[in-house]
């Protein structure tokens, strides 16, 4: 019979039973294996309890510390109750003292003090110890002895002598073994035992206990606390040891009390040395010497270690206390390297908001604080609110130090000066992930460099991608001048007080309008917009600007989270809508003063159509301006402005008055925009002037996005993708034989972009210029001048766009510039190169770019160049002229603003009243929008902490996002036939009533007449001063510091086009005037020869490359419009035979009474043309013609 095969049966969790197989072997047996059996031994369990376990070992150390303190307390009790005359051998000691007393007093006297020659040693070796005290000390000694022996056994590692000769073990044996011996030898119970030495054992126990506490609560940054504790304990132990030792030894001398001994130790260790209490016998004197030597050795070492740790803590920054984190609000700023510019931009913008004044800023940076940052953070304005911590965001300990889980927000900024920007983004992504992992509820504000890395941090509350904003802003600068300046001023906090003390009118206007920002408020809570509930958006925008001076630009429905810029007249305002408006300050900080008519309840009449007037509300804000009524048709008032439209064809008739803005939109009264009226043209086949090729354009979404996360935008696209070979501008292919820009026969001027590589950010440069709302006939060809050829991935993304080409070359190569068609270009965009962003010397990263741009201005003076710089402060070199008085005056103004921004002596309120921290805002290149730095947009991320809608509004303005129903930013130019409108307020009404467009600002170009500088005429300084004093127009002291006369007209440009030169100064001395003219003519001859040389150089290179030279115009052929385009760097003063120059600046939301000037460019937010497209068949050509004729007047006024 076969035996049964038994399957193992498990009995309990660790015990199993089994039987062997039929063959009797144990091949199939299961064996139980126990792990870590060495930890089950008795010694290991004791070690786990006494040493390894944090909490149990902490309890043991606390108990040991208490025992040592108890022994010290028992010693003090024994000293207080001790009587040297009673105790063992007391009679012998007393007799000996009596017999020798007289001889001591006679023979041994030194400096008036008694000195014993013979010492009663028995008083030193024997003491009077009471039985209760002895009993307690014995019990404590036994416990301490057993504990010491047990710990010695548990920590034994093979060398017994090393443990025996440890100081702590020897002290334990000295203080415990004699007490244990007295149990068995009662006669020696009065022997002296230096129990006060247990204070050093208590010090060691306290150190170990603190270390265990830090381990238990996971507090690692405690070196500074430990060192301070060690120093204090060392001082206490030295004083206690000296006090007890001297008191005991003086029992055989002067018999000092314990307090007198303590007093003597304090006086001695403090190096005061009064001398009223001194040791009398040599043993106590020897003890004093030993204690002083020990103090001189131990204390300096302790202080040195403490100072070292203090210096290291100053570098690392310490901790942000938990109590402060729970009671105060703070934000955390995480950066790779903290520079002074970045720090000041953040602090000035963050603390510009009143509700953030009580916030703390904790800076978490892995690098050590540099000297400039340290000096700034020592200013009282910042030292009380800014805390610098050196640490890594990737370490939870450092995040715990910064109390990230209690922070109101965390700002993570990228290191844009890194050569490898992709690596910098990777570090930013890891930091964002680390913060999100440690503090999931902390709001994140992340700055990213590359658009392709944006989707990794899409979980953040707010993300700003630098390359997205940069390229979109540079693209809009080509069609809407100074868009970069407009957006930069909108996202900077200011009070509009900059430049108000300047003698220059343009600086006062520009500085005042720079204080406008974007704010929001609900309609039901608003005084600005509450009365327009149930009326159209356009009506509310116009009347709010007319009455209060605020510009309503956008709206958000309560049920819809999308912000709509200028939704158009068909949008009816609701009480729950959120309004977004531009103003000097928010409505909550404004006070309202009503005129007499409003107080009496006088009803408001129509606009421009009756004798009644609309009640005027003037807003007096904490830093605002007054918006006055311009449409007053009542009898003339001295303070009012009377509009007199010009006559038509000299017949004395007036042009039609401006139609009123209707409360409720009428579909028949709203004229279509150019895009919808030109649909038949857009859908047709485009044939260029020479008939070389025909290209069909369609509207659609780009099929290939170069990166994840790009917002889809409806664009003008090619019906069929262009082959990659056709995208190369300077090389022909089998599809066409064009090898230069001239051969293509472009109808519009080119836009050239110079970049190092074809990054994905360039895609955002193309999309706004090819958006569906831009008329096809106004599309400019785009040429990408790249240092490195693009890859196929990028070409696949851009091949669907019309008139987009690329070419390999650099801007410092004249041949490359000529081949890419720079003589046919209207705008050249110079993008900052990544390889030059990091330089050995700070602020030298822009050196090559600045020099190249200056050279291009010399060679191609009619070209408008938009330059991106790494450091905004370098823009002063873009128009550097060493002897130009006006540029030097602007430089002094900028330096004054920089010093005021970081002046340690200025009080906080005075500091904030100075306005924004844009020290360079009055620099001509920045004011004209020709210089841009991405660091200017850092405040966009900072402002989003208070205004969470700012990033979305900026993206809508720049065309990065397109929301159905939301408008877009465009521009129109004020021509000579438009000057009858006269004022900005009337223009606002004209646009709102005709095309439902919302103006938000003006880009103005003015002419200036420069006084003669030292480099232009060879006259003495005294003569110049005499000439200034004899001028017809009187000037004050401030005006004499700025030798610039402003002239508000464009007649000088017309004279310039006719090549006429006329001396502008007025001089009573004809002989001196004649001498100056001769000197000027000589200088003009020298300059003309230089210009002719440059022109000849360009022509020779064009002939060498086989390019036609007919399109090149040198400086002598500049027209007035060309001169007006040269507002970026102001080189006309050096290049022309005139002392005149131009400057341009942006006026954001000017007051309604602002006069319009010729060539003003008005920024508009045009409503979405696809928001209310009627569902009807396309119009025939005849009806389309009638429609165009009916809207001729409107289209002329709103034409770009």
């Amino acid at each position: 019979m076969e035996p049964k095969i038994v399957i193992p049966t498990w009995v309990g969790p660790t015990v199993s039973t089994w039987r062997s197989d039929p063959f009797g072997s144990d091949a199939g047996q299961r064996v139980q294996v126990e792990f870590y059996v060495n930890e089950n031994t008795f010694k290991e369990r004791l070690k786990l309890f006494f040493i390894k376990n944090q909490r149990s070992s902490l309890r043991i150390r606390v108990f040991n510390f208490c025992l040592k303190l108890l022994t010290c307390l028992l010693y003090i009790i024994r000293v207080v109750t001790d009587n040297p005359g009673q105790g063992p051998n007391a009679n012998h000691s007393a007799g000996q003292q009596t017999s020798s007393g007289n001889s001591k007093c006679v023979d041994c006297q030194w400096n008036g003090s008694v000195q014993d020659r013979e010492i009663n040693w028995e008083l030193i070796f024997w003491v009077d110890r009471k039985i209760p005290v002895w009993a307690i000390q014995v019990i404590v000694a036994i416990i301490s002895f057993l504990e010491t022996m047990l710990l010695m056994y548990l920590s034994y590692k093979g060398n017994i002598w090393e443990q025996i000769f440890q100081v702590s073990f020897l002290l334990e044996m000295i203080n415990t073994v004699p007490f244990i011996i007295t149990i068995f030898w009662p006669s020696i119970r009065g022997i002296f035992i230096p129990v006060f030495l247990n204070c050093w054992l208590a010090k060691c126990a306290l150190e170990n206990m603190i270390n265990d506490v830090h381990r238990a609560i996971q507090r690692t940054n405690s070196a500074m606390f430990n060192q301070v504790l060690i120093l204090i304990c060392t001082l206490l132990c030295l004083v206690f040891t000296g006090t007890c030792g001297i008191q005991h030894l003086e029992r055989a001398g002067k018999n000092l009390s314990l307090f007198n001994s303590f007093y003597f130790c304090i006086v001695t260790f403090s190096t005061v040395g009064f001398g009223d209490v001194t040791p009398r016998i040599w043993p106590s004197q020897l003890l004093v010497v030993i204690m002083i030597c020990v103090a001189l050795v131990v204390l300096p070492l302790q202080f040195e270690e403490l100072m070292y740790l203090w210096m290291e803590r100053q570098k690392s920054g310490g901790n942000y206390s938990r109590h402060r984190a729970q009671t105060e609000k703070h934000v955390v700023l995480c950066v790779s390297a903290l520079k002074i510019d970045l720090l000041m931009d953040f602090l000035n913008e963050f603390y510009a908001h009143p509700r953030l004044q009580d916030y703390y800023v904790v800076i978490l940076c892995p690098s050590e604080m540099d000297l400039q940052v340290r000096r700034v953070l020592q200013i009282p304005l910042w030292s009380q609110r800014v805390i610098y911590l050196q640490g890594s965001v990737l370490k939870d300990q450092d995040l715990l130090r910064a109390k990230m889980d209690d922070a109101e927000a965390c700002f993570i900024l990228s290191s844009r000066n890194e050569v490898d920007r992709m690596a910098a983004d990777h570090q930013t992504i890891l930091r964002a992930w680390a913060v999100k992992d440690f503090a999931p509820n902390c709001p994140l504000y992340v700055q990213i460099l590359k658009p392709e890395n944006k989707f990794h941090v899409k979980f953040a509350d707010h993300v700003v991608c630098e390359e997205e904003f940069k390229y979109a802003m540079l693209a809009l600068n080509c069609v809407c001048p100074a868009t970069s300046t407009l957006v930069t001023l909108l996202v900077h906090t200011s009070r509009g007080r900059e430049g108000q003390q300047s003698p220059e009118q343009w600086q006062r206007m520009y500085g005042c309008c720079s204080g406008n920002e974007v704010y929001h408020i609900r309609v039901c809570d608003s005084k600005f917009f509450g009365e327009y509930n149930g009326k159209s958006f356009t009506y509310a925008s116009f009347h709010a600007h007319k009455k209060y001076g605020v510009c309503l630009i956008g709206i958000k429905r309560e049920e819809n989270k999308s912000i709509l810029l200028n939704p158009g007249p068909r949008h009816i305002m609701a009480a729950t809508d959120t309004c977004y408006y531009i103003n000097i300050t928010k409505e909550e900080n404004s006070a309202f003063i009503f005129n007499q008519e409003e107080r009496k309840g006088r009803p408001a009449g129509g606009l421009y159509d009756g004798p009644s007037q609309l009640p005027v509300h003037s807003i007096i804000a904490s830093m605002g301006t007054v918006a006055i009524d311009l449409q007053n048709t009542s009898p003339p008032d001295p303070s009012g402005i009377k509009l007199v439209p010009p006559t038509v064809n000299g017949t004395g008739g007036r042009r039609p008055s401006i139609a009123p803005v209707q409360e409720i939109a009428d579909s028949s009264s709203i004229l279509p925009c150019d895009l919808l009226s030109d649909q038949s043209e857009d859908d047709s086949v485009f044939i260029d002037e020479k008939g070389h090729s025909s290209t069909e354009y369609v509207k659609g979404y780009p099929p290939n996005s170069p990166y994840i996360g790009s917002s889809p935008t409806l664009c003008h696209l090619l019906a069929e993708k262009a082959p990659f070979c056709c995208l190369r501008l300077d090389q022909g292919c089998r599809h066409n034989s064009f090898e230069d820009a001239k051969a293509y026969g472009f109808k519009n001027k080119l836009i050239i972009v110079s970049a190092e590589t074809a990054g994905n950010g360039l895609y955002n440069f193309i999309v706004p210029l090819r958006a569906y709302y831009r008329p096809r006939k106004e599309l400019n060809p785009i040429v990408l001048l790249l240092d490195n050829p693009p890859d196929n991935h990028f070409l696949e993304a851009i091949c669907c766009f019309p008139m987009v080409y690329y070419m390999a070359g650099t801007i410092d190569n004249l041949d490359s510039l000529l081949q890419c068609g720079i003589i046919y270009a209207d705008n050249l965009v110079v993008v900052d190169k990544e390889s030059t962003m990091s330089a050995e010397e700070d602020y030298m990263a822009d050196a090559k770019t600045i020099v190249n741009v200056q050279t291009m201005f010399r060679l191609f003076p009619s070209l408008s160049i938009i330059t991106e710089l790494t450091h905004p402060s370098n823009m002063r070199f873009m128009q550097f002229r060493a002897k130009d008085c006006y540029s030097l005056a602007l430089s002094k103004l900028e330096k004054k603003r920089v010093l005021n921004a970081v002046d340690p002596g200025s009080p906080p309120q005075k500091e904030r009243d100075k306005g924004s921290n844009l020290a360079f805002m009055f620099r001509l290149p920045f004011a004209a929008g020709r210089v841009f730095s991405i660091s200017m947009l850092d405040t966009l991320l900072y402002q989003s902490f208070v205004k969470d809608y700012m990033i979305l509004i900026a993206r809508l303005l720049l065309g990065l996002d397109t929301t159905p129903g939301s408008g877009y930013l465009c521009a129109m130019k004020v021509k000579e036939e438009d000057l009858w409108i006269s004022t900005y307020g009337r223009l606002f009404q004209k646009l709102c009533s005709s095309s439902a467009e919302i103006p938000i600002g003006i880009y103005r170009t003015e002419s200036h007449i420069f006084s003669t500088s030292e480099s232009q005429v060879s006259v003495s300084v005294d003569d110049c001063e005499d000439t200034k004093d004899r001028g017809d127009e009187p000037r004050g002291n401030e005006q004499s510091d700025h030798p610039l006369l402003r002239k508000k007209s464009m007649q000088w440009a017309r004279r310039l086009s006719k090549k006429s030169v006329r001396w502008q100064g007025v001089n009573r001395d004809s002989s001196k005037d004649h001498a100056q003219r001769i000197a000027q003519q000589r200088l003009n001859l020298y300059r003309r020869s230089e210009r002719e040389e440059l022109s000849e150089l360009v022509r020779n290179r064009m002939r060498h490359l086989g390019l036609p030279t007919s399109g090149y115009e040198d400086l002598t052929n500049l027209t007035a419009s060309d001169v007006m385009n040269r507002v970026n760097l102001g080189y006309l003063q050096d290049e022309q035979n005139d002392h005149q120059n131009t400057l341009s600046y942006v006026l954001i939301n000017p007051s309604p009474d602002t006069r319009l000037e010729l060539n003003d460019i008005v920024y508009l937010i045009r409503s979405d043309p696809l928001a209310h497209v009627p569902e009807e068949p396309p119009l025939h050509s005849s009806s389309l013609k009638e429609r165009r004729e009916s809207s001729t007047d409107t289209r002329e006024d709103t034409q770009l």
Side-chain angles (χ1 to χ4, degrees), residues 526-669:
S526 174
K527 179 65 178 178
F528 288 160
F529 315 108
E531 57 185 299
Y532 308 119
N533 184 19
K535 300 178 183 179
S536 67
F537 175 87
T538 308
Y539 181 88
S541 180
F542 165 68
H543 284 275
H545 183 267
K546 177 181 180 296
K547 296 172 65 175
Y548 303 107
V550 300
C551 180
L552 178 63
I553 62 171
I555 207 78
K556 183 176 72 172
R557 290 288 193 189
E558 185 179 20
E559 66 276 3
N560 188 4
K561 299 303 181 181
S562 300
I563 298 177
L564 303 179
L565 297 181
N566 187 13
R570 293 178 177 85
H571 180 93
I572 305 303
M573 304 284 287
T576 58
D577 287 352
T578 302
C579 299
Y580 298 92
Y581 61 96
I582 298 176
N583 194 24
I584 289 288
T585 182
K586 59 183 179 180
E587 182 179 341
E588 292 84 348
N589 296 338
S590 306
F592 298 90
I593 300 177
F594 303 98
N595 60 1
Q596 298 297 328
E597 290 81 357
E598 177 68 14
R599 291 177 181 175
K600 295 177 181 179
R602 179 176 177 179
L607 298 172
Y608 304 98
D609 55 357
S612 61
Q613 65 173 357
L614 189 67
V616 181
H617 299 66
S618 63
I619 167 178
I620 301 179
S622 58
M623 65 214 75
T625 57
V626 179
I628 65 174
D629 185 14
L630 303 179
Q631 291 77 27
N632 187 358
T633 56
S634 59
D637 186 84
S639 61
I641 300 176
K642 185 177 180 180
L643 300 178
V644 181
T647 60
V648 180
N649 298 327
T651 60
R654 296 178 180 272
R655 290 193 179 185
S657 61
I658 303 177
V661 182
Q662 297 183 356
E663 296 184 6
I664 304 298
D666 186 4
S667 59
S668 60
S669 62

Side-chain angles (χ1 to χ4, degrees), residues 54-55 212-220 400:
Q54 297 177 0
R55 299 189 180 276
D212 286 341
V213 169
H214 291 164
R215 280 199 309 163
I217 64 177
Q218 296 181 356
R219 180 180 175 183
T220 57
L400 186 63

Side-chain angles (χ1 to χ4, degrees), residues 836-851:
T836 61
M837 286 185 177
S838 179
E840 295 181 0
E841 182 180 352
D842 287 344
Y843 304 101
M844 277 295 179
D846 299 317
K848 185 177 180 181
T849 301
I850 293 174
V851 175

Side-chain angles (χ1 to χ4, degrees), residues 798-982:
I798 68 172
C799 66
C800 58
F801 294 103
M803 292 187 294
V804 177
Y805 308 93
Y806 78 93
M807 174 184 162
T810 58
I811 58 173
D812 55 356
N813 189 334
L814 181 57
D815 293 351
S816 300
L817 293 175
L818 294 175
Q819 286 178 341
C820 71
I822 192 171
I823 61 176
Y824 310 108
D826 195 15
N827 290 277
L828 172 63
V829 179
V830 181
V831 181
D832 197 8
K833 297 182 179 180
E834 297 181 9
S835 59
T836 61
M837 286 185 177
S838 179
E840 295 181 0
E841 182 180 352
D842 287 344
Y843 304 101
M844 277 295 179
D846 299 317
K848 185 177 180 181
T849 301
I850 293 174
V851 175
N852 290 335
V853 170
Q854 305 293 62
T855 304
M856 284 187 292
F857 267 109
R858 293 290 188 179
L859 295 175
F860 310 101
S862 62
L863 184 65
S864 175
I865 301 181
I866 305 168
T867 309
E868 182 198 2
L869 298 179
T870 302
H871 303 284
S873 59
N874 286 334
M875 71 175 60
R876 65 185 186 273
F877 302 117
M878 299 300 291
Q879 60 174 11
F880 183 76
R881 290 171 292 184
K883 297 184 180 181
D884 178 61
C885 300
Y886 190 69
S887 297
L888 294 178
L890 292 178
S891 179
K892 291 180 181 179
L893 180 62
E894 177 180 352
K895 293 175 182 177
K896 182 179 179 181
R897 289 173 56 81
V898 172
L899 292 177
N900 289 337
V902 295
D903 183 14
S906 62
Q909 186 62 35
K910 182 179 179 181
E911 175 80 14
R912 292 191 295 268
D913 288 345
K914 296 182 186 299
S916 71
N917 59 312
L918 288 179
F920 49 82
M921 67 175 298
F922 290 105
R923 285 286 181 178
L924 298 183
F926 173 77
R930 302 303 178 179
V931 177
F932 172 72
S933 178
I934 191 60
S935 61
M936 298 176 185
L937 285 184
D938 286 346
T939 55
L940 177 62
L941 188 66
Y942 311 153
Q943 268 206 2
S944 60
F945 179 67
V946 178
K947 306 173 182 178
D948 56 356
Y949 49 83
M950 277 306 301
I951 295 179
L952 181 56
I953 289 181
R955 293 182 65 89
L956 291 174
L957 284 175
L958 298 177
L960 290 173
D961 289 340
T962 54
T963 303
S966 178
Y968 59 93
L969 181 65
C970 61
M972 59 162 284
K973 190 172 185 178
V974 177
K975 300 180 181 179
E976 191 170 359
E977 57 269 19
D978 301 324
L979 292 179
W980 67 273
I981 301 178
S982 181

Side-chain angles (χ1 to χ4, degrees), residues 229-243:
L229 182 64
I230 291 173
L231 178 61
I232 295 175
C233 292
T234 302
L235 290 173
L236 292 177
C237 291
L238 284 174
V239 173
F240 185 73
T241 303
T243 300

Side-chain angles (χ1 to χ4, degrees), residues 442-500:
C442 179
L444 272 180
Y445 298 77
V446 181
Q447 181 187 76
I448 211 77
L449 301 180
K450 295 285 188 179
E452 55 266 29
N453 296 322
K454 191 175 63 172
F455 78 99
H456 290 294
V457 291
K458 62 181 180 180
F459 57 84
D461 298 81
H462 299 278
V463 180
V464 172
C465 180
E466 282 196 355
E467 286 197 0
E468 275 189 343
F469 281 91
K470 176 180 71 175
Y471 282 105
M473 196 170 296
L474 293 175
L476 282 184
N477 264 11
C478 299
V479 294
C480 298
T483 302
S484 58
T485 302
L486 172 70
V487 177
T488 301
L489 294 177
L490 279 177
V491 300
H492 273 79
T493 300
S494 172
R495 292 174 175 254
R497 298 181 179 180
E498 295 82 2
Q500 298 308 302

